[in-house]
Amino acid sequence: MMTTPRLRRRAFALLCALPMSCGAAIAGQFDFMPAPQTDLNRIYRIDRVTGEVGACQYGQKEGTFGVTLCFPAGEGAGKQEPSEYGLVASRHEREGGVFRVDMRTGAMSVCYVFDERVVCTPPEKGAPSDTGAKAATTSESVAAPRKP
């Protein structure tokens, strides 16, 4: 049986009705982020659904143009609860790690290469909302202009 363009459009529409969005199905499951450290050629990779983080960088090897050195997920960098994950780099030019962010819960981890593996700190959301409100009030009062 040959498929027609109409049949292919219907199949695509059915796929789009599944829990995963069409955009995610088309765009791919991974995001990439370079380490902010300006003298480090490391790229981090995250699985947007599982939150698993890995990294690769260029390395030199005698007799070759170079090799790709990859660091697998280690402690804390493995699969997390399914969610919507991303990577964010700080603007600190000497920072070799990146933040893993859970876009649904707001939890963040710091991920970096240690002993030839990517490791991540436990996910944290920050202060509870009532403490956060107090901190916001305090920072607003600190940021307020002073009277001469």
Side-chain angles (χ1 to χ4, degrees):
M1 180 179 152
M2 294 188 62
T3 60
T4 65
R6 185 176 181 189
L7 184 58
R8 281 183 283 211
R9 281 193 302 271
R10 283 186 182 174
F12 185 71
L14 284 172
L15 283 174
C16 289
L18 294 175
M20 182 177 21
S21 71
C22 292
I26 293 170
Q29 189 168 339
F30 297 95
D31 276 337
F32 302 87
M33 176 70 57
Q37 186 173 335
T38 56
D39 63 347
L40 183 63
N41 61 6
R42 185 171 294 151
I43 302 288
Y44 288 89
R45 176 195 70 240
I46 189 165
D47 182 311
R48 288 189 278 187
V49 176
T50 68
E52 184 174 16
V53 180
C56 293
Q57 69 185 44
Y58 171 79
Q60 295 182 338
K61 184 176 179 181
E62 192 172 320
T64 69
F65 290 112
V67 295
T68 304
L69 302 172
C70 291
F71 307 99
E75 187 175 337
K79 293 181 180 180
Q80 307 294 300
E81 289 294 319
S83 191
E84 186 179 344
Y85 295 94
L87 293 174
V88 177
S90 72
R91 292 188 179 197
H92 194 279
E93 66 184 23
R94 289 192 263 163
E95 181 60 58
V98 294
F99 291 89
R100 173 178 57 196
V101 180
D102 184 331
M103 305 293 190
R104 292 182 186 166
T105 67
M108 292 185 273
S109 302
V110 177
C111 301
Y112 52 95
V113 174
F114 181 74
D115 284 341
E116 299 191 23
R117 294 205 173 279
V118 176
V119 296
C120 297
T121 60
E124 294 287 338
K125 289 185 185 180
S129 60
D130 61 333
T131 307
K134 290 176 186 174
T137 305
T138 304
S139 65
E140 287 174 6
S141 63
V142 171
R146 296 183 187 182
K147 292 183 180 179

